[in-house]
Amino acid sequence: MKMLIIFGLVLATIPISAATAHRESVADNSVAVSYGDLDLSSEQGRDRLNARTRSAIRSVCEDNAVRDLNDLMAQKRCTKSMHANADSKIALAVEKANHRMALAKK
């Protein structure tokens, strides 16, 4: 089964969205981060998911055409908001993976 973390969309997996986007159009964007190929019960799997998540958040929040300090601060708010949202969702996914691993060992 393919598992995804979704930024900006609500699905049956892990929805993650920016409460404060750096521009209005960002709120409509979404980025899916696949983690079905990762073992989240391992440190390596968690590290890879975190790297994918950081990259996806950058793709949504960062704008190479920053015009002023307000744009830069808005990008930082977007990034911080999405990371906070993602961290809790990732923690839940890791907890579930650890639980499945513990059940499999019984």
Side-chain angles (χ1 to χ4, degrees):
M1 180 168 105
K2 186 175 183 178
M3 297 182 191
L4 299 173
I5 296 177
I6 303 295
F7 298 92
L9 292 178
V10 178
L11 296 179
T13 56
I14 302 178
I16 303 168
S17 61
T20 309
H22 75 280
R23 60 186 190 271
E24 287 182 32
S25 63
V26 169
D28 298 330
N29 289 342
S30 65
V31 177
V33 178
S34 173
Y35 65 94
D37 61 320
L38 302 177
D39 175 6
L40 297 183
S41 65
S42 74
E43 184 176 351
Q44 181 181 12
R46 291 186 301 272
D47 288 346
R48 292 204 45 160
L49 177 57
N50 287 327
R52 290 177 187 181
T53 301
R54 285 190 305 273
S55 177
I57 290 171
R58 277 193 306 273
S59 75
V60 171
C61 293
E62 290 185 8
D63 182 355
N64 291 330
V66 172
R67 290 161 291 288
D68 57 25
L69 185 58
N70 288 331
D71 286 349
L72 181 61
M73 295 306 295
Q75 281 185 16
K76 298 227 181 266
R77 285 190 303 273
C78 176
T79 299
K80 184 177 180 178
S81 174
M82 288 192 80
H83 272 293
N85 192 286
D87 289 346
S88 64
K89 308 295 184 187
I90 290 170
L92 181 60
V94 169
E95 184 178 325
K96 287 180 179 179
N98 288 334
H99 180 71
R100 282 192 297 273
M101 184 63 74
L103 288 175
K105 289 182 180 180
K106 289 185 177 182

XYZ file of all heavy atoms in Angstrom:
802
model
N 0.842 -1.181 0.000
C 0.000 0.000 0.000
C 0.880 1.235 0.000
O 1.797 1.346 0.799
C -0.897 -0.023 1.236
C -1.807 1.177 1.308
S -3.073 0.953 2.551
C -2.427 2.009 3.812
N 0.626 2.152 -0.865
C 1.413 3.372 -0.970
C 0.926 4.380 0.065
O -0.251 4.680 0.140
C 1.276 3.952 -2.371
C 2.175 5.128 -2.616
C 2.078 5.567 -4.048
C 3.039 6.692 -4.307
N 2.997 7.116 -5.691
N 1.848 4.877 0.901
C 1.486 5.843 1.928
C 2.028 7.213 1.540
O 3.101 7.324 0.994
C 2.069 5.422 3.267
C 1.535 4.125 3.760
S 2.236 3.749 5.338
C 1.713 2.083 5.538
N 1.278 8.251 1.843
C 1.661 9.603 1.471
C 1.450 10.565 2.620
O 0.557 10.382 3.431
C 0.805 10.111 0.303
C 0.863 9.358 -1.000
C -0.172 9.921 -1.952
C 2.234 9.465 -1.601
N 2.275 11.579 2.675
C 2.017 12.731 3.515
C 1.578 13.814 2.545
O 2.248 14.087 1.572
C 3.268 13.191 4.272
C 3.723 12.112 5.251
C 3.000 14.489 5.014
C 4.983 12.446 5.972
N 0.460 14.425 2.797
C -0.096 15.408 1.878
C -0.033 16.784 2.518
O -0.453 16.966 3.649
C -1.562 15.083 1.541
C -1.670 13.675 0.944
C -2.159 16.127 0.618
C -0.990 13.506 -0.383
N 0.492 17.740 1.791
C 0.553 19.117 2.230
C -0.593 19.871 1.584
O -0.637 20.003 0.388
C 1.884 19.767 1.828
C 3.051 19.097 2.444
C 3.708 18.074 1.806
C 3.478 19.471 3.706
C 4.777 17.448 2.387
C 4.539 18.847 4.286
C 5.198 17.831 3.639
N -1.493 20.341 2.390
C -2.562 21.170 1.864
C -3.827 20.424 1.469
O -4.823 21.046 1.177
N -3.823 19.110 1.441
C -5.006 18.339 1.117
C -5.338 17.421 2.285
O -4.462 16.970 2.992
C -4.776 17.461 -0.114
C -4.610 18.172 -1.429
C -4.335 17.149 -2.524
C -5.858 18.949 -1.783
N -6.604 17.159 2.457
C -7.013 16.249 3.514
C -7.329 14.903 2.885
O -8.260 14.784 2.108
C -8.236 16.797 4.268
C -8.687 15.828 5.330
C -7.918 18.153 4.870
N -6.536 13.914 3.214
C -6.752 12.560 2.723
C -6.701 11.604 3.905
O -6.512 12.000 5.043
C -5.669 12.181 1.699
C -5.668 12.992 0.423
C -4.551 12.534 -0.488
C -6.984 12.868 -0.322
N -6.841 10.339 3.632
C -6.863 9.336 4.687
C -5.473 9.066 5.266
O -5.346 8.283 6.177
C -7.455 8.046 4.160
N -4.457 9.700 4.754
C -3.114 9.462 5.259
C -2.727 10.582 6.211
O -3.394 10.795 7.191
C -2.116 9.297 4.101
O -2.191 10.446 3.279
C -2.415 8.062 3.290
N -1.678 11.313 5.934
C -1.214 12.349 6.849
C -1.327 13.714 6.191
O -0.455 14.118 5.437
C 0.248 12.101 7.272
C 0.369 10.735 7.930
C 0.729 13.186 8.219
C 1.766 10.378 8.325
N -2.388 14.443 6.462
C -2.524 15.772 5.870
C -1.698 16.801 6.631
O -1.710 16.833 7.859
C -4.012 16.066 6.000
C -4.436 15.269 7.176
C -3.555 14.048 7.217
N -0.968 17.608 5.902
C -0.161 18.662 6.506
C -0.399 19.928 5.699
O -0.302 19.911 4.482
C 1.334 18.307 6.482
C 1.553 16.975 7.193
C 2.164 19.404 7.128
C 2.920 16.412 6.978
N -0.716 21.013 6.382
C -0.978 22.246 5.653
C -0.336 23.421 6.367
O -0.016 23.354 7.545
C -2.474 22.482 5.513
O -3.060 22.604 6.789
N -0.173 24.496 5.632
C 0.387 25.725 6.199
C -0.759 26.583 6.702
O -1.638 26.963 5.944
C 1.175 26.483 5.137
N -0.733 26.894 7.983
C -1.772 27.767 8.538
C -1.604 29.185 8.019
O -2.561 29.900 7.796
C -1.709 27.740 10.057
N -0.368 29.595 7.827
C -0.082 30.929 7.317
C 0.825 30.782 6.108
O 1.983 30.462 6.246
C 0.649 31.781 8.381
O -0.090 31.711 9.591
C 0.805 33.201 7.929
N 0.273 30.999 4.949
C 1.054 30.868 3.727
C 1.711 32.193 3.383
O 1.207 33.254 3.734
C 0.144 30.429 2.585
N 2.852 32.137 2.687
C 3.559 33.377 2.358
C 2.894 34.151 1.234
O 3.194 35.302 1.017
C 5.040 33.106 2.081
C 5.327 32.483 0.760
N 5.177 31.141 0.530
C 5.755 33.027 -0.389
C 5.520 30.872 -0.705
N 5.873 31.991 -1.292
N 2.018 33.509 0.532
C 1.188 34.200 -0.448
C -0.093 33.384 -0.568
O -0.109 32.202 -0.295
C 1.908 34.351 -1.782
C 2.303 33.056 -2.436
C 3.144 33.328 -3.686
N 3.323 32.130 -4.436
C 4.315 31.266 -4.261
N 5.231 31.495 -3.363
N 4.403 30.178 -4.993
N -1.164 34.014 -0.954
C -2.462 33.343 -0.962
C -2.468 32.072 -1.796
O -3.082 31.094 -1.429
C -3.533 34.303 -1.465
C -3.884 35.384 -0.472
C -4.978 36.278 -0.985
O -5.845 35.789 -1.732
O -4.972 37.457 -0.626
N -1.767 32.072 -2.915
C -1.801 30.907 -3.793
C -1.156 29.683 -3.164
O -1.459 28.563 -3.560
C -1.122 31.227 -5.127
O 0.236 31.519 -4.926
N -0.268 29.865 -2.196
C 0.383 28.729 -1.559
C -0.637 27.856 -0.846
O -0.526 26.640 -0.828
C 1.483 29.192 -0.574
C 1.969 28.047 0.286
C 2.639 29.796 -1.346
N -1.657 28.466 -0.276
C -2.665 27.699 0.453
C -3.359 26.690 -0.458
O -3.869 25.680 0.002
C -3.678 28.639 1.086
N -3.378 26.965 -1.770
C -4.008 26.062 -2.723
C -3.057 24.985 -3.219
O -3.492 24.036 -3.854
C -4.540 26.854 -3.921
C -5.614 27.846 -3.507
O -6.333 27.563 -2.528
O -5.711 28.890 -4.149
N -1.774 25.135 -2.983
C -0.787 24.162 -3.440
C -0.771 22.954 -2.519
O -1.096 23.046 -1.351
C 0.614 24.779 -3.472
C 0.773 25.779 -4.580
O -0.009 25.810 -5.522
N 1.779 26.605 -4.472
N -0.363 21.843 -3.064
C -0.179 20.652 -2.257
C 1.033 19.896 -2.769
O 1.391 20.000 -3.938
C -1.412 19.770 -2.290
O -1.616 19.276 -3.589
N 1.644 19.173 -1.864
C 2.800 18.365 -2.200
C 2.641 17.038 -1.477
O 2.368 17.018 -0.285
C 4.112 19.042 -1.772
C 5.293 18.154 -2.070
C 4.271 20.388 -2.439
N 2.775 15.954 -2.193
C 2.680 14.632 -1.582
C 4.084 14.105 -1.314
O 4.958 14.197 -2.171
C 1.936 13.682 -2.506
N 4.266 13.575 -0.123
C 5.545 12.966 0.236
C 5.293 11.488 0.488
O 4.630 11.109 1.442
C 6.138 13.625 1.504
C 7.438 12.945 1.886
C 6.346 15.113 1.298
N 5.823 10.664 -0.378
C 5.642 9.227 -0.268
C 6.580 8.659 0.790
O 7.737 9.039 0.867
C 5.935 8.575 -1.622
O 5.912 7.180 -1.501
N 6.054 7.760 1.609
C 6.930 7.086 2.564
C 6.620 5.595 2.669
O 7.118 4.910 3.566
C 6.869 7.754 3.937
C 5.537 7.672 4.658
C 5.274 6.660 5.569
C 4.556 8.619 4.430
C 4.061 6.593 6.241
C 3.348 8.563 5.101
C 3.107 7.555 6.004
O 1.911 7.494 6.663
N 5.864 5.073 1.723
C 5.534 3.658 1.726
C 6.745 2.763 1.556
O 6.726 1.601 1.951
N 7.807 3.296 0.977
C 9.020 2.513 0.774
C 9.982 2.606 1.949
O 11.051 2.003 1.921
C 9.736 2.993 -0.493
C 10.167 4.451 -0.411
O 9.385 5.275 0.127
O 11.271 4.773 -0.883
N 9.604 3.343 2.996
C 10.504 3.560 4.133
C 10.085 2.738 5.347
O 8.894 2.544 5.593
C 10.520 5.046 4.522
C 10.941 6.030 3.438
C 10.826 7.451 3.960
C 12.354 5.730 2.968
N 11.066 2.305 6.112
C 10.815 1.649 7.393
C 10.917 2.726 8.471
O 12.012 3.087 8.891
C 11.851 0.545 7.642
C 11.715 -0.099 9.007
O 10.751 0.212 9.746
O 12.585 -0.916 9.350
N 9.768 3.255 8.890
C 9.770 4.352 9.864
C 10.137 3.900 11.267
O 10.330 4.737 12.146
C 8.410 5.051 9.876
C 8.006 5.725 8.578
C 6.679 6.452 8.742
C 9.088 6.665 8.083
N 10.283 2.600 11.469
C 10.740 2.132 12.777
C 12.266 2.191 12.873
O 12.830 2.000 13.941
C 10.248 0.705 13.049
O 10.830 -0.209 12.141
N 12.922 2.510 11.763
C 14.386 2.639 11.769
C 14.791 4.111 11.700
O 14.061 4.942 11.144
C 15.008 1.898 10.575
O 14.781 2.611 9.377
N 15.938 4.420 12.247
C 16.441 5.798 12.217
C 16.665 6.264 10.779
O 16.343 7.402 10.431
C 17.734 5.913 13.021
C 18.250 7.323 13.121
C 19.479 7.456 14.012
O 19.834 6.495 14.695
O 20.060 8.548 14.010
N 17.188 5.377 9.949
C 17.440 5.725 8.549
C 16.131 6.067 7.830
O 16.068 7.039 7.074
C 18.151 4.588 7.829
C 18.462 4.908 6.380
C 19.145 3.749 5.673
O 19.204 2.637 6.179
N 19.645 4.015 4.489
N 15.081 5.302 8.073
C 13.792 5.572 7.456
C 13.222 6.905 7.901
O 12.697 7.677 7.089
N 13.328 7.188 9.202
C 12.834 8.469 9.719
C 13.641 9.631 9.147
O 13.072 10.669 8.781
C 12.885 8.483 11.250
C 11.870 7.521 11.864
C 11.828 7.643 13.370
N 13.096 7.377 14.032
C 13.513 6.180 14.425
N 12.770 5.114 14.206
N 14.667 6.041 15.046
N 14.949 9.465 9.056
C 15.796 10.522 8.492
C 15.428 10.813 7.039
O 15.358 11.971 6.620
C 17.280 10.148 8.577
C 17.828 10.205 9.990
O 17.160 10.776 10.883
O 18.930 9.662 10.209
N 15.170 9.770 6.271
C 14.799 9.961 4.862
C 13.449 10.658 4.744
O 13.265 11.530 3.898
C 14.775 8.631 4.123
C 16.201 8.077 4.010
C 16.385 7.165 2.918
N 15.782 7.671 1.696
C 16.107 7.248 0.498
N 17.032 6.341 0.372
N 15.517 7.715 -0.569
N 12.496 10.281 5.598
C 11.191 10.940 5.574
C 11.331 12.408 5.953
O 10.733 13.282 5.324
C 10.198 10.247 6.505
C 8.818 10.903 6.592
C 8.163 11.019 5.213
C 7.929 10.132 7.553
N 12.134 12.695 6.961
C 12.346 14.091 7.354
C 12.987 14.895 6.228
O 12.600 16.042 5.989
C 13.182 14.167 8.631
C 12.389 13.756 9.849
O 11.188 13.985 9.933
N 13.054 13.131 10.801
N 13.933 14.302 5.514
C 14.570 14.992 4.386
C 13.549 15.253 3.270
O 13.512 16.348 2.702
C 15.746 14.177 3.859
N 12.722 14.268 2.974
C 11.692 14.446 1.952
C 10.700 15.534 2.364
O 10.268 16.338 1.541
C 10.931 13.137 1.735
C 11.741 12.057 1.059
C 10.948 10.776 0.946
N 11.771 9.691 0.438
C 11.326 8.458 0.225
N 10.053 8.167 0.457
N 12.141 7.528 -0.229
N 10.352 15.539 3.641
C 9.403 16.530 4.148
C 9.985 17.934 4.043
O 9.305 18.857 3.592
C 9.022 16.211 5.609
O 8.448 14.894 5.650
C 8.035 17.212 6.153
N 11.240 18.103 4.446
C 11.878 19.424 4.343
C 11.887 19.907 2.893
O 11.593 21.071 2.613
C 13.310 19.384 4.899
C 13.384 19.346 6.403
C 14.802 19.549 6.918
N 15.761 18.604 6.355
C 16.027 17.399 6.856
N 15.403 16.981 7.935
N 16.927 16.612 6.292
N 12.211 19.010 1.987
C 12.249 19.374 0.570
C 10.857 19.775 0.062
O 10.707 20.771 -0.658
C 12.781 18.194 -0.244
O 12.775 18.486 -1.608
N 9.838 19.027 0.454
C 8.472 19.344 0.027
C 8.012 20.682 0.591
O 7.389 21.475 -0.105
C 7.523 18.222 0.466
N 8.341 20.937 1.853
C 7.959 22.209 2.465
C 8.653 23.370 1.757
O 8.033 24.398 1.478
C 8.253 22.198 3.981
C 7.279 21.245 4.678
C 8.163 23.602 4.567
C 7.598 20.977 6.136
N 9.919 23.187 1.430
C 10.628 24.238 0.679
C 9.946 24.501 -0.654
O 9.806 25.647 -1.081
C 12.087 23.851 0.455
C 12.993 24.163 1.607
C 14.471 24.063 1.239
N 14.835 22.782 0.648
C 15.197 21.700 1.330
N 15.240 21.736 2.644
N 15.521 20.583 0.718
N 9.499 23.435 -1.319
C 8.871 23.622 -2.630
C 7.563 24.400 -2.529
O 7.173 25.073 -3.476
C 8.645 22.270 -3.320
O 7.555 21.582 -2.751
N 6.889 24.326 -1.396
C 5.636 25.046 -1.206
C 5.875 26.454 -0.674
O 5.259 27.414 -1.120
C 4.696 24.271 -0.244
C 3.497 25.108 0.141
C 4.264 22.961 -0.872
N 6.775 26.598 0.280
C 6.918 27.867 1.001
C 7.941 28.830 0.418
O 7.791 30.035 0.577
C 7.277 27.600 2.465
S 5.954 26.806 3.397
N 8.985 28.318 -0.202
C 10.040 29.210 -0.650
C 9.747 29.761 -2.031
O 9.257 29.069 -2.906
C 11.394 28.502 -0.617
C 11.845 28.250 0.793
C 13.235 27.668 0.881
O 13.940 27.580 -0.151
O 13.623 27.301 1.997
N 10.072 31.013 -2.184
C 9.858 31.732 -3.433
C 11.172 32.416 -3.787
O 11.669 33.232 -3.026
C 8.738 32.762 -3.232
C 8.396 33.532 -4.486
O 9.078 33.347 -5.519
O 7.447 34.319 -4.427
N 11.731 32.074 -4.927
C 13.004 32.670 -5.324
C 12.879 34.141 -5.691
O 13.875 34.829 -5.861
C 13.612 31.890 -6.496
C 14.056 30.517 -6.078
O 14.433 30.293 -4.927
N 13.997 29.576 -6.995
N 11.656 34.629 -5.801
C 11.433 36.023 -6.170
C 11.062 36.856 -4.938
O 10.163 37.677 -4.980
C 10.343 36.114 -7.222
N 11.764 36.615 -3.834
C 11.498 37.403 -2.626
C 11.796 38.859 -2.937
O 12.876 39.206 -3.405
C 12.371 36.917 -1.446
C 12.239 37.842 -0.261
C 11.992 35.501 -1.070
N 10.794 39.704 -2.701
C 10.935 41.106 -3.061
C 11.331 41.993 -1.883
O 11.953 43.017 -2.059
C 9.614 41.601 -3.671
C 9.365 40.981 -5.043
C 7.933 41.056 -5.491
N 6.980 40.230 -4.755
C 6.882 38.905 -4.817
N 7.712 38.227 -5.576
N 5.982 38.245 -4.131
N 10.947 41.594 -0.686
C 11.260 42.448 0.459
C 11.247 41.621 1.741
O 11.033 40.412 1.719
C 10.275 43.619 0.555
C 8.826 43.180 0.639
O 8.556 42.044 1.093
O 7.946 43.964 0.251
N 11.469 42.289 2.851
C 11.531 41.631 4.142
C 10.198 40.969 4.498
O 10.174 39.897 5.102
C 11.939 42.634 5.226
C 12.167 42.065 6.624
C 13.234 40.984 6.595
C 12.550 43.168 7.586
N 9.096 41.578 4.118
C 7.783 40.983 4.390
C 7.638 39.623 3.706
O 7.100 38.681 4.289
C 6.654 41.917 3.950
C 6.519 43.118 4.849
O 6.841 43.065 6.031
N 6.052 44.216 4.280
N 8.093 39.518 2.463
C 8.051 38.241 1.751
C 8.911 37.197 2.461
O 8.503 36.044 2.618
C 8.553 38.392 0.310
C 7.562 39.093 -0.597
O 6.397 39.280 -0.185
O 7.969 39.459 -1.716
N 10.088 37.613 2.875
C 10.994 36.697 3.562
C 10.384 36.213 4.870
O 10.418 35.021 5.185
C 12.343 37.367 3.821
C 13.393 36.499 4.514
C 13.721 35.273 3.670
C 14.641 37.326 4.782
N 9.805 37.116 5.629
C 9.185 36.742 6.904
C 7.975 35.833 6.664
O 7.738 34.897 7.429
C 8.785 37.983 7.698
C 9.975 38.836 8.138
S 11.217 37.909 9.063
C 10.287 37.490 10.521
N 7.219 36.093 5.616
C 6.073 35.247 5.293
C 6.526 33.830 4.931
O 5.892 32.846 5.324
C 5.271 35.859 4.151
N 7.626 33.724 4.207
C 8.195 32.413 3.886
C 8.570 31.675 5.160
O 8.299 30.485 5.306
C 9.427 32.554 2.999
C 9.127 32.810 1.563
C 10.385 32.813 0.726
O 11.443 32.341 1.151
N 10.291 33.349 -0.472
N 9.190 32.375 6.078
C 9.606 31.754 7.345
C 8.394 31.291 8.145
O 8.416 30.216 8.746
C 10.466 32.719 8.144
C 11.752 33.105 7.424
C 12.930 33.010 8.330
C 14.179 33.423 7.600
N 14.869 32.281 7.028
N 7.323 32.092 8.161
C 6.102 31.687 8.873
C 5.496 30.441 8.232
O 5.057 29.524 8.920
C 5.081 32.819 8.891
C 5.411 33.937 9.868
C 4.240 34.904 10.025
N 3.796 35.499 8.772
C 4.300 36.604 8.227
N 5.278 37.259 8.845
N 3.822 37.068 7.092
N 5.452 30.427 6.908
C 4.916 29.279 6.182
C 5.718 28.022 6.522
O 5.149 26.977 6.867
C 4.966 29.555 4.673
S 4.445 28.173 3.628
N 7.029 28.135 6.438
C 7.901 26.994 6.718
C 7.728 26.510 8.152
O 7.579 25.309 8.395
C 9.374 27.379 6.454
O 9.502 27.744 5.080
C 10.312 26.237 6.761
N 7.716 27.433 9.094
C 7.569 27.067 10.499
C 6.220 26.387 10.749
O 6.144 25.364 11.434
C 7.706 28.307 11.374
C 7.660 28.027 12.845
C 7.883 29.290 13.651
C 7.825 28.986 15.142
N 8.094 30.184 15.949
N 5.163 26.938 10.181
C 3.827 26.383 10.350
C 3.737 24.974 9.767
O 3.199 24.055 10.396
C 2.810 27.307 9.675
O 1.531 26.737 9.701
N 4.259 24.792 8.563
C 4.183 23.479 7.922
C 5.033 22.457 8.664
O 4.633 21.301 8.799
C 4.576 23.572 6.453
C 3.508 24.263 5.626
S 3.765 24.107 3.858
C 3.115 22.460 3.591
N 6.211 22.874 9.145
C 7.046 21.944 9.917
C 6.338 21.521 11.198
O 6.356 20.345 11.561
C 8.405 22.556 10.246
C 9.433 22.337 9.188
N 9.940 21.100 8.872
C 10.041 23.204 8.353
C 10.818 21.212 7.894
N 10.894 22.480 7.559
N 5.723 22.462 11.882
C 5.017 22.135 13.124
C 3.894 21.137 12.842
O 3.712 20.162 13.581
C 4.467 23.399 13.771
N 3.167 21.377 11.773
C 2.079 20.484 11.406
C 2.621 19.118 10.990
O 2.086 18.083 11.396
C 1.281 21.132 10.271
C -0.025 20.437 10.011
O -0.043 19.345 9.448
N -1.109 21.064 10.420
N 3.679 19.107 10.205
C 4.259 17.853 9.726
C 4.855 17.041 10.864
O 4.700 15.814 10.893
C 5.328 18.142 8.672
N 5.516 17.699 11.796
C 6.181 16.983 12.885
C 5.209 16.123 13.673
O 5.509 14.968 13.998
C 6.904 17.959 13.816
C 8.133 18.582 13.174
O 8.594 18.089 12.123
O 8.634 19.577 13.725
N 4.039 16.659 13.970
C 3.062 15.868 14.730
C 2.527 14.709 13.903
O 2.312 13.612 14.426
C 1.931 16.759 15.237
O 1.204 17.310 14.162
N 2.318 14.920 12.617
C 1.819 13.853 11.749
C 2.875 12.763 11.557
O 2.558 11.578 11.555
C 1.421 14.400 10.376
C 0.484 15.566 10.407
C -0.862 15.221 10.959
C -1.724 16.455 10.826
N -2.989 16.408 11.427
N 4.123 13.167 11.406
C 5.209 12.201 11.256
C 5.373 11.396 12.536
O 5.570 10.179 12.496
C 6.518 12.908 10.851
C 6.391 13.423 9.416
C 7.706 11.972 10.994
C 7.519 14.340 8.992
N 5.285 12.068 13.679
C 5.410 11.367 14.961
C 4.344 10.279 15.083
O 4.627 9.164 15.551
C 5.305 12.355 16.114
N 3.144 10.571 14.647
C 2.070 9.578 14.690
C 2.371 8.413 13.749
O 2.178 7.244 14.108
C 0.738 10.225 14.321
C -0.482 9.313 14.347
C -0.699 8.715 15.733
C -1.712 10.089 13.914
N 2.853 8.702 12.547
C 3.197 7.647 11.589
C 4.319 6.766 12.135
O 4.290 5.541 11.985
C 3.599 8.255 10.248
N 5.305 7.377 12.784
C 6.416 6.622 13.379
C 5.905 5.750 14.519
O 6.281 4.578 14.643
C 7.534 7.570 13.863
C 8.556 6.835 14.711
C 8.201 8.242 12.661
N 5.027 6.315 15.337
C 4.454 5.541 16.442
C 3.703 4.318 15.917
O 3.834 3.217 16.452
C 3.512 6.431 17.252
C 2.934 5.764 18.479
C 2.036 6.709 19.263
O 2.316 7.913 19.310
O 1.049 6.209 19.822
N 2.938 4.501 14.858
C 2.209 3.381 14.264
C 3.166 2.333 13.703
O 2.945 1.133 13.846
C 1.262 3.875 13.174
C 0.057 4.600 13.710
C -0.846 5.070 12.591
C -2.060 5.781 13.137
N -2.953 6.262 12.073
N 4.246 2.797 13.053
C 5.234 1.868 12.498
C 5.902 1.075 13.616
O 6.107 -0.139 13.490
C 6.289 2.627 11.686
N 6.230 1.749 14.703
C 6.852 1.062 15.843
C 5.884 0.048 16.454
O 6.287 -1.046 16.854
C 7.320 2.063 16.892
C 8.536 2.838 16.452
O 9.316 2.372 15.628
N 8.694 4.035 16.984
N 4.615 0.406 16.516
C 3.603 -0.495 17.066
C 3.467 -1.740 16.179
O 3.415 -2.867 16.680
C 2.261 0.238 17.198
C 1.178 -0.608 17.752
N 1.140 -1.009 19.064
C 0.077 -1.138 17.169
C 0.073 -1.752 19.269
N -0.588 -1.839 18.122
N 3.426 -1.531 14.855
C 3.342 -2.658 13.933
C 4.565 -3.551 14.059
O 4.467 -4.773 14.030
C 3.194 -2.167 12.495
C 1.796 -1.709 12.151
C 1.615 -1.502 10.653
N 2.468 -0.453 10.111
C 2.153 0.840 10.079
N 0.995 1.230 10.545
N 2.978 1.710 9.563
N 5.733 -2.939 14.237
C 6.975 -3.713 14.372
C 6.929 -4.540 15.651
O 7.315 -5.708 15.662
C 8.185 -2.770 14.386
C 9.511 -3.494 14.419
S 9.836 -4.513 12.978
C 10.190 -3.256 11.776
N 6.435 -3.946 16.739
C 6.349 -4.667 18.009
C 5.363 -5.833 17.898
O 5.625 -6.924 18.427
C 5.914 -3.713 19.122
N 4.244 -5.618 17.207
C 3.278 -6.702 17.024
C 3.854 -7.825 16.168
O 3.585 -8.999 16.404
C 1.997 -6.166 16.382
C 1.109 -5.293 17.263
C -0.066 -4.745 16.453
C 0.616 -6.070 18.475
N 4.649 -7.459 15.167
C 5.231 -8.449 14.278
C 6.246 -9.324 15.019
O 6.440 -10.494 14.658
C 5.904 -7.773 13.097
N 6.877 -8.784 16.039
C 7.883 -9.542 16.800
C 7.248 -10.509 17.786
O 7.922 -11.386 18.294
C 8.809 -8.583 17.548
C 9.733 -7.828 16.631
C 10.667 -6.939 17.406
C 11.593 -6.187 16.463
N 12.510 -5.308 17.187
N 5.953 -10.362 18.048
C 5.295 -11.264 19.016
C 4.961 -12.587 18.419
O 4.763 -12.841 17.334
C 4.017 -10.591 19.564
C 4.334 -9.454 20.477
C 3.062 -8.925 21.074
C 3.383 -7.805 22.066
N 2.222 -7.285 22.711
